[in-house]
Each structure stands twice: as structure tokens, then as C-alpha cells.
Amino acid sequence: MLENADPADLGDCTEPRPVYVIGAGPGGLAAAAALRARGVRAVVVEKSGEVGASWRRHYDRLHLHTTRRLSALPGLAIPRRFGRWVGRDDVVRYLEGYAEHHDLELITGVEVTRVDPAPDGPDGPGWVLHGTGGRELSATAVVVATGFNHTPHLPDWPGRGTFTGTLRHAGEYRNAEPYAGLDVLVVGTGNTGAEIAVDLVEGGAARVRLAVRTAPHIVRRSTLGWPAQRTGVLVRRLPVRLVDRLGAWVAKVSVPDLTEHGLPRPETGLYSRVREGAIPVQDVGLIDAVRAGKVVPVAAVESFDGAEVVLADGSRITPDAVVAATGYRRGLEDLVGHLGVLDERGRPRAHGPQPAGDAAAPGLYFTGYTNPISGMFRELALDAERIARTVARERARARKAERARDRAAAKARPRAAAKTRSRTAAGSDARPAEAPAARTATPGEARPGAADPA
């Protein structure tokens, strides 16, 4: 495995042209390992100095909301000692061990800034990756795995710059220590916002409010030992309306109605919301905190006015700090936006084994840009296997076509040589007959055709 390589050394990794994997998170590492297992050379390019960079930046108490058994990447189980719900630090340890276990070819400290189609090379069409330091890397195929949570998104609320308190995106939140004794407003009711709100309560914040724009679906992470993830796996192929009905029934049975506490049941079905990109909130203490009045739901944020935050219902509050759990953007526009492969939300139109490149330059793949109900790590593992299978099949097809061309060329060479010999022989047979040697006339002898001297 190559670590912390100098960009000047990258030229050594480009012949023959490998598959380049952009990003050394779980999706990129899984894709590289699956490709390697099928005999395809894969080089992972990571802009930071180590694998799992985004996981290293997450807040301290974060755990996978999916089980250890259903979160392993191809070719290596997650150690049992990490527990059923794997914590952030153990996820990082697993990713480090995963790269070592598969002996992955890894280049760190190099950021790929743009991907362009390349003209045909010796092994077919491909791609050119433009990296920091003016590097250009030639690839037969590219797997883009820069991550779902790439660029923090902070809404441009009116008056945001006038706020006199502390305003930070959730991506900067590590733990509750800096907020002890403070009045804190958490904006956003996804899994991140819900978990940070609970963390603040347990960490000693004086008051915690949770700004809610759309009431979330809340599910128990596990019921009687049955993880919610397994249910998500089972219902993925079922009709949306059926899953919506099942979800409503399960919610009534397992989750108390929090309407009187300011968090009503959502009006839209659970799976309908998933199809729109919003997965349910897995309860890690939010239900109890809301029922106990320790986390108080309030209306969505509309604007800021000095020390005040103006809410959608017209009320005003004066928190000491605001933590905006308002999501992330994929950040793919500069990298591949010019190729026409992104939708209006900046997400890849094609995903997993379906190549996004056009017929003139196939071999551009994306992984990790959906938010599946069945678990992100599980889907990354499945995508990796599918992408590797597709790439290997395309390479086998290209090699077969190349061998067919070589055989045709080999057959054509003797025929061409035979034709050349035939033309040469025919040319020698058609040479004109030599003219008889000229005879010198003796004196007084008349030459044929000569004028009579008389």
C-alpha cells in the first residue's frame, strides 16, 4: 500500500492504465478491494492524508445505525469486539485495517479536481483525471466515491451575519463540552440533529431546542432484538404505498405520539419520504428527551436579527448558540458537472454498476450518493461488487475483441504476402523480348532501308 505519496511519483502508477477510485472512504475502499479481487488494478486517490477522513471529523458519540454484521465491506468482517453498533473511532480502525488487509494501492495528499474523457489508448477509451500539482492521470475507468456528506450546507438565512451568538454547522460539532450551561438551538431533525440534541442534553447544556421544518418519521433502532435495518432490507422491493401503510402501523405500536410535545406524526408515508431522500430518524434517546421536556421542538428558522432567531411561527428566541444540522451537498459539480451526468440536485443520474459515461467514453461509475433505508455501508458493499463485476466483464470483452483483431491481422498478413509474391512473379513473366544485337555493316554493303548511293 502506498501512503502519503509524493504527487511526482504518480506517473509510476499509470502504466498500464488502472481504474482510479476517487476517495478513500468506505465506498472507495470497498470498490478498490472488489476490483482487486477480480484481478483489476485499482488505485485509490485521496485528497487528505489518511483513509476515512470524513469519519474522523464526525462528532464523538456517533455510532453506525446499522448492525455490525450488515455493515461489513467486501472481504473483511467487522471485529466482534466493536459491538453491535460500531462507534466512530472503531469505524476508522476498521477502515484502516481494511486497506491494510487488502493491500490496497493508495495515494494520499492528491485531490482530483476534474475528470475528462480521453482519446482511445492502447486498451480502449478512458478518462483523464486532473489532480493537484498539475498532474494528469490516465485511467481505463473511474469510480467516484467522494462521499454523500462532502460539503457542509449552511442555509443563507436572512440576517445570518448579524447573529451575535455562535453559529456552526453540525460538521464542526465534536461534543457538548463547549456548550455546557448554554442555551442551544439545533436546526434540523435528521439523524444528526436528533443525536446532537440528545448529546447536548446529556453534556450539560442549560437548554436545548430543536427547530423542526418537517416532522420526521422516528423508528426504534431495535425492537426486541430485531434491528430496524433488517426491516429496511426486507421492504426495499415492496410497493411504496404498502410500505407506507406498514410503517404507519409500526409507528403507532412502537413509537409514542409526541404531538402534545410539539413533534406530531408526519403526514407523508415513511417510504414515500425515503424515496424523496429523507430516511427515518433512528431513536437514540430523542423520544425520551422530548417526552421529558429536555429537548423542546420549535418551528423552523426563518431569519436572524442580532441576538434573536426568528421562527416560522413568528416567535423569537435568543439562544447562545445555534448548531445547524442542515445537511451536506455532494460537491460534484466541479469534478464531473460538465459531463452532463448530474441531476438538478447535483446527484449522479446513474449509480453503482450503471456507467454514467456516454458511449464515446464508458467507464465512469458512482458509489455512495444515495441514502438507502437498508444501510449505507451495506449498499456500498453491494455496489462495490457490482461495479467490479461490470468493469471486469468490460475488460474481458475488450481483450476478446483485441484478440479477434490480432487473429484477423495475423490471417491477413500471409494473404497480403502471397498477393505481393504473385504480383512480383507476374511482372517478371511479362518482360519484353530482348532486341537482336545490331550488326555493323561492312564498307560497301548497303544497309537495309538505306538510300541507293547512285
Side-chain angles (χ1 to χ4, degrees):
M1 182 174 69
L2 306 177
E3 291 193 37
N4 302 316
D6 189 318
D9 297 332
L10 286 177
D12 298 336
C13 300
T14 57
E15 294 297 331
R17 293 190 301 171
V19 174
Y20 275 101
V21 181
I22 307 174
L29 297 179
L35 286 163
R36 182 180 175 86
R38 290 183 175 270
V40 178
R41 185 179 179 216
V43 178
V44 182
V45 185
E46 167 59 41
K47 70 176 181 180
S48 72
E50 49 203 352
V51 303
S54 63
W55 272 90
R56 297 173 191 273
R57 296 192 299 267
H58 283 312
Y59 49 92
D60 295 347
R61 71 171 286 153
L62 177 65
H63 285 68
L64 286 177
H65 292 161
T66 54
T67 66
R68 172 180 55 82
R69 289 185 177 181
L70 294 179
S71 301
L73 302 178
L76 184 66
I78 299 177
R80 288 176 62 98
R81 68 179 183 275
F82 290 171
R84 192 182 197 193
W85 313 103
V86 185
R88 181 202 65 182
D89 292 344
D90 284 333
V91 169
V92 172
R93 292 188 187 96
Y94 172 66
L95 296 178
E96 291 174 337
Y98 189 84
E100 292 286 351
H101 176 80
H102 289 289
D103 194 23
L104 299 183
E105 198 168 348
L106 176 67
I107 304 297
T108 59
V110 174
E111 180 179 7
V112 178
T113 57
R114 183 181 172 96
V115 177
D116 283 319
D120 286 6
D123 45 0
W127 300 89
V128 174
L129 285 66
H130 304 273
T132 49
R135 303 299 302 185
E136 290 189 354
L137 311 176
S138 180
T140 53
V142 178
V143 180
V144 182
T146 52
F148 190 84
N149 297 333
H150 184 271
T151 306
H153 169 60
L154 191 64
D156 189 19
W157 287 298
R160 190 182 76 185
T162 70
F163 183 54
T164 57
T166 301
L167 171 62
R168 291 193 178 95
H169 188 272
E172 301 177 73
Y173 181 90
R174 294 295 173 269
N175 54 58
E177 184 177 350
Y179 301 91
L182 300 182
D183 183 339
V184 186
L185 172 67
V186 179
V187 183
T189 50
N191 278 291
T192 297
E195 193 158 357
I196 287 177
V198 173
D199 193 47
L200 287 165
V201 168
E202 296 177 354
R207 186 178 192 179
V208 179
R209 284 174 282 205
L210 182 62
V212 182
R213 183 171 298 278
T214 304
H217 285 274
I218 303 176
V219 299
R220 299 287 188 182
R221 188 167 65 175
S222 179
T223 303
L224 299 176
W226 179 265
Q229 181 191 8
R230 288 197 178 275
T231 302
V233 172
L234 292 174
V235 304
R236 282 199 72 185
R237 306 297 180 187
L238 296 178
V240 173
R241 293 178 63 183
L242 175 58
V243 180
D244 284 347
R245 292 195 193 99
L246 290 173
W249 179 80
V250 171
K252 288 182 180 180
V253 172
S254 62
V255 178
D257 188 354
L258 302 175
T259 301
E260 64 179 25
H261 299 284
L263 202 58
R265 295 191 187 278
E267 298 179 358
T268 309
L270 184 149
Y271 205 33
S272 294
R273 291 284 303 279
V274 169
R275 297 293 291 271
E276 295 171 359
I279 63 172
V281 171
Q282 298 214 20
D283 179 44
V284 291
L286 180 65
I287 292 174
D288 290 342
V290 170
R291 294 178 74 180
K294 296 179 179 179
V295 173
V296 179
V298 296
V301 172
E302 285 294 306
S303 63
F304 289 82
D305 185 9
E308 296 183 322
V309 179
V310 182
L311 303 179
D313 61 4
S315 62
R316 292 171 175 253
I317 59 176
T318 55
D320 300 309
V322 175
V323 178
T326 47
Y328 295 78
R329 298 192 186 280
R330 311 294 82 81
L332 294 171
E333 287 79 6
D334 291 340
L335 186 67
V336 296
H338 58 288
L339 300 173
V341 296
L342 305 180
D343 63 17
E344 63 281 355
R345 300 173 64 185
R347 299 187 182 190
R349 298 183 188 276
H351 199 267
Q354 182 182 358
D358 58 27
L364 178 63
Y365 303 90
F366 294 89
T367 182
Y369 298 98
T370 61
N371 202 8
I373 193 174
S374 53
M376 178 68 82
F377 272 51
R378 178 180 182 274
E379 294 304 317
L380 290 175
L382 294 174
D383 274 351
E385 298 283 13
R386 293 166 183 155
I387 290 172
R389 187 163 54 246
T390 301
V391 171
R393 184 170 59 245
E394 291 300 319
R395 287 204 164 188
R397 185 178 296 140
R399 286 194 296 268
K400 183 178 179 180
E402 183 178 2
R403 287 194 296 267
R405 288 194 298 269
D406 290 344
R407 286 194 297 268
K411 291 179 180 179
R413 281 194 294 271
R415 288 197 296 267
K419 289 181 180 180
T420 301
R421 289 194 297 271
S422 176
R423 285 196 298 269
T424 302
S428 62
D429 292 343
R431 286 198 304 270
E434 293 184 0
R439 185 172 65 88
T440 304
T442 58
E445 180 180 343
R447 292 192 301 273
D452 190 336

